[in-house]
């Protein structure tokens, strides 16, 4: 998962990756939700700070007055409300962050599938066999080591277990 700071600083590159990888993601919405998440986090920290100050005042007083009790209750209620908003916002943020693609290098060709990939070099000599060799996927499935069908269902791409 990419860092939200990196996403903000490289929004154009991320938008290009989203487009090329055909991902449905509104990057502006993600940044907006991140702004709100940051704001709510800051507010929650401020309320927690005031709660700590209030607790220190109550401790100094020895016995809390009715005004102190009411004030403490008000702080607690506002913190609970804010934490609920923050939890909801963080949940939306995390859902969208999971959709953000990794950024590829500038020299990576963009294509519709792997047939558009280009071979840069070959190292060594390619061996010739008297039979058709199996791919690593065929060998893994044959030995019951790889489950691509389940991997696609879970991960949404050609990953495997």
């Amino acid at each position: 998962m990419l860092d939200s700071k990196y996403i903000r600083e490289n929004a154009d590159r991320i938008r290009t990756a989203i487009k090329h990888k055909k991902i449905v993601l509104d990057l502006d919405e993600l940044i907006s939700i991140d702004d709100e998440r940051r704001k709510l986090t800051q507010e929650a920290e401020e309320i927690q700070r005031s709660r700590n100050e209030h607790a220190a005042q109550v401790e100094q007083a020895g016995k809390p007055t009715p005004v102190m009790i009411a004030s403490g209750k008000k702080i607690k209620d506002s913190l609970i409300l804010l934490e609920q908003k923050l939890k909801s916002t963080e949940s939306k943020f995390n859902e969208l962050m999971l959709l953000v693609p990794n950024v590829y290098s500038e020299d990576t060709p963009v294509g519709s599938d792997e047939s558009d990939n280009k071979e840069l070099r070959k190292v060594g000599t390619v061996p010739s066999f008297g039979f058709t060799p199996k791919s690593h996927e065929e060998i893994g499935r044959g030995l019951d080591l790889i489950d691509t069908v389940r991997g696609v269902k879970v991960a949404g791409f050609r990953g495997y277990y």
Side-chain angles (χ1 to χ4, degrees):
M1 188 181 299
L2 297 175
D3 180 51
S4 61
K5 181 180 176 187
Y6 178 85
I7 292 170
R8 288 172 181 281
E9 293 171 355
N10 299 284
D12 291 337
R13 288 188 72 197
I14 304 241
R15 278 190 182 85
T16 303
I18 289 170
K19 179 182 159 199
H20 289 163
K21 294 183 179 194
K22 297 178 176 108
I23 295 172
V24 179
L25 172 65
D26 183 356
L27 195 61
D28 293 326
E29 179 186 7
L30 173 67
I31 292 171
S32 171
I33 288 173
D34 184 38
D35 287 339
E36 181 163 344
R37 181 184 67 94
R38 289 173 185 227
K39 185 184 109 203
L40 290 172
T41 301
Q42 193 173 26
E43 287 177 22
E45 288 171 356
E46 187 65 29
I47 291 173
Q48 287 172 345
R49 184 191 57 73
S50 67
R51 181 180 68 178
N52 291 343
E53 287 175 358
H54 182 268
Q57 288 173 353
V58 169
E59 190 176 315
Q60 274 184 340
K63 184 176 180 185
T65 64
V67 173
M68 287 179 168
I69 292 172
S71 176
K73 197 172 209 175
K74 184 178 176 185
I75 291 171
K76 181 181 176 184
D77 291 343
S78 64
L79 185 60
I80 288 172
L81 226 114
L82 193 62
E83 284 177 342
Q84 288 172 348
K85 282 183 189 176
L86 181 59
K87 185 177 180 181
S88 171
T89 303
E90 282 183 339
S91 176
K92 288 179 198 173
F93 174 74
N94 289 331
E95 285 176 27
L96 292 175
M97 282 295 285
L98 290 173
L99 298 174
V100 176
N102 287 325
V103 179
Y104 46 85
S105 66
E106 297 294 328
D107 61 344
T108 302
V110 177
S112 57
D113 60 21
E114 60 236 9
S115 65
D116 293 326
N117 293 346
K118 58 183 176 182
E119 186 175 301
L120 298 178
R121 65 183 170 276
K122 283 187 181 182
V123 178
T125 58
V126 179
S128 62
F129 298 101
F131 58 91
T132 304
K134 293 182 178 181
S135 70
H136 73 282
E137 287 187 48
E138 291 173 311
I139 293 169
R141 273 184 268 150
L143 295 171
D144 198 27
L145 298 173
I146 298 174
D147 188 351
T148 53
V149 175
R150 187 172 294 142
V152 169
K153 286 180 183 176
V154 172
F157 62 95
R158 292 177 305 167
Y160 35 81
Y161 286 139

